[in-house]
Amino acid sequence: MTGFPGVRPRRLRSSAAVRRLVSDTTIEPRQLILPMFVREDAREPIAISSMPGVYQHTRDTARKAVAEAVQLGLGGVMLYGVPSSKDEVGSGSLDPNGILNVAIRDAVSEAGDDLLVMSDLCLDEFTTHGHCGVLDSAGRVDNDATLAIYAEMGVAQAAAGAHVVGPSGMMDGQVGVVRSALDAAGYVDTVILAYAVKYASAFYGPFREAVGSSLQGDRKTYQQDPGNDARDALREVDLDIAEGADIVMVKPALAYLDIIRQVRDHVKVPVAAYNISGEYAMVEAAAANGWIDRERSILETLNSIRRAGADTILTYWASEAAELLSRR
């Protein structure tokens, strides 16, 4: 055949300029959210061994990280508190002077309205048993008793200045009770980022070190089964949106790219995805062994999550990725 092949897709890959012109998927710093751990009474940052480059912050270093996030143009920070003491009902989560609420105030005072300050709304960091809710007399997570605490937590975090609260415990009805409590307290503009689709994943291990988790048992009775298809995910998403969720999230990201895509196609609200600790740790470990190109792997990972349909990505690489993107 004369002139074969006449169609040459490689023409659109022939230079960096052409590739930029026709690229389908983009990542911008504004789409990235940095999860941060702030440890009560810490005098210096404490390295998290399973997450190289990630630390439990002091209040001072957390402020600096927030200021850097503002300068880099990130979309937000998601704050987790690491308390010095815990109890059965996670009462530290409600304390206005507890580490999470103090960290929220610190972040807001540093960022103002230039960066969204988001806060994790869950009990697991604050309970001695490490579950996301309070336990009943049989040692099971009590969904409805937990909801009452979540409502108080939402108001406490909004009072501390959080722009966005993130109910993450996978209790049935959690979004509805938080929305009702926020509205009743006058916080009608506080955004709810719902952890709508959260699987009982093996990839959370490093996170549990990061928050000093004291989990006993597992969370399979309330987090979703990894073996289920998208019907289960979409049901959870629909319920959360009906209850008032402004943004819905899928967690983890990489093992659930198909779920992210189906959620994105199903809903009209923004979709977030959490590039979680185990996903981070795998890339860092492989790069440390010289098996992969670290910087390229970071951007390729984030690109895959965006391509799957996530509008926003929570990632421990957020600040570094913003710097990498600025050099492209």
Side-chain angles (χ1 to χ4, degrees):
M1 183 181 296
T2 304
F4 179 83
V7 178
R8 295 180 182 268
R10 287 181 54 190
R11 292 190 190 107
L12 297 182
R13 306 169 196 150
S14 59
S15 71
V18 171
R19 292 192 295 273
R20 283 196 304 271
L21 177 68
V22 301
S23 179
D24 296 315
T25 305
T26 59
I27 307 171
E28 300 176 23
R30 67 178 179 84
Q31 298 163 331
L32 304 178
I33 298 166
L34 177 66
M36 293 174 50
F37 307 102
V38 187
R39 181 164 174 165
E40 191 169 20
D41 300 330
R43 296 183 178 179
E44 60 183 20
I46 299 171
I48 300 167
S49 63
S50 55
M51 299 176 69
V54 180
Y55 297 85
Q56 293 176 333
H57 283 284
T58 68
R59 288 180 63 186
D60 285 341
T61 62
R63 288 190 192 97
K64 292 175 182 176
V66 169
E68 180 186 42
V70 172
Q71 292 175 344
L72 291 169
L74 298 186
V77 293
M78 174 64 79
L79 300 177
Y80 297 86
V82 184
S84 57
S85 63
K86 308 178 184 183
D87 60 30
E88 286 291 308
V89 296
S91 58
S93 65
L94 303 179
D95 183 355
N97 295 313
I99 184 57
L100 180 53
N101 292 321
V102 167
I104 293 169
R105 291 200 295 272
D106 287 345
V108 172
S109 67
E110 193 70 46
D113 292 327
D114 294 330
L115 178 83
L116 288 175
V117 175
M118 308 178 176
S119 52
D120 180 57
L121 201 166
C122 194
L123 290 178
D124 58 327
E125 298 103 303
F126 298 95
T127 56
T128 49
H129 46 74
H131 278 286
C132 298
V134 294
L135 305 183
D136 63 18
S137 58
R140 300 168 299 194
V141 174
D142 187 327
N143 189 95
D144 294 3
T146 300
L147 293 183
I149 299 175
Y150 281 7
E152 292 186 63
M153 283 184 72
V155 173
Q157 292 177 2
H163 304 113
V164 181
V165 296
S168 63
M170 291 301 290
M171 298 296 116
D172 294 338
Q174 62 184 14
V175 172
V177 297
V178 171
R179 182 74 271 160
S180 294
L182 290 171
D183 291 353
Y187 297 109
V188 295
D189 292 329
T190 302
V191 173
I192 294 181
L193 188 165
Y195 288 59
V197 183
K198 184 176 180 182
Y199 289 91
S201 172
F203 294 106
Y204 295 140
F207 177 89
R208 290 175 183 162
E209 178 191 354
V211 296
S213 174
S214 48
L215 179 64
Q216 302 167 19
D218 58 50
R219 296 177 176 142
K220 293 179 181 179
T221 61
Y222 47 101
Q223 293 179 350
Q224 288 168 264
D225 183 348
N228 285 352
D229 65 23
R231 288 174 296 178
D232 186 31
L234 298 180
R235 183 186 187 202
E236 293 279 3
V237 164
D238 286 343
L239 287 167
D240 281 359
I241 292 174
E243 291 174 16
D246 301 290
I247 306 169
V248 295
M249 183 156 68
V250 177
K251 180 181 182 182
L254 291 183
Y256 301 92
L257 295 175
D258 60 321
I259 302 297
I260 295 171
R261 168 46 57 192
Q262 291 182 73
V263 170
R264 174 64 284 164
D265 290 344
H266 182 72
V267 304
K268 298 186 184 303
V269 301
V271 175
Y274 201 139
N275 176 211
I276 66 168
S277 60
E279 298 166 354
Y280 174 95
M282 289 190 296
V283 170
E284 292 291 342
N289 278 283
W291 297 336
I292 59 175
D293 181 311
R294 181 177 176 276
E295 292 185 354
R296 287 182 61 195
S297 296
I298 290 171
L299 294 180
E300 188 172 343
T301 295
L302 298 179
N303 190 75
S304 74
I305 300 168
R306 283 277 297 128
R307 190 178 63 246
D311 302 294
T312 300
I313 305 171
L314 279 76
T315 176
Y316 302 99
W317 289 306
S319 296
E320 182 176 3
E323 293 176 340
L324 293 175
L325 291 167
S326 71
R327 301 203 299 263
R328 294 181 73 176

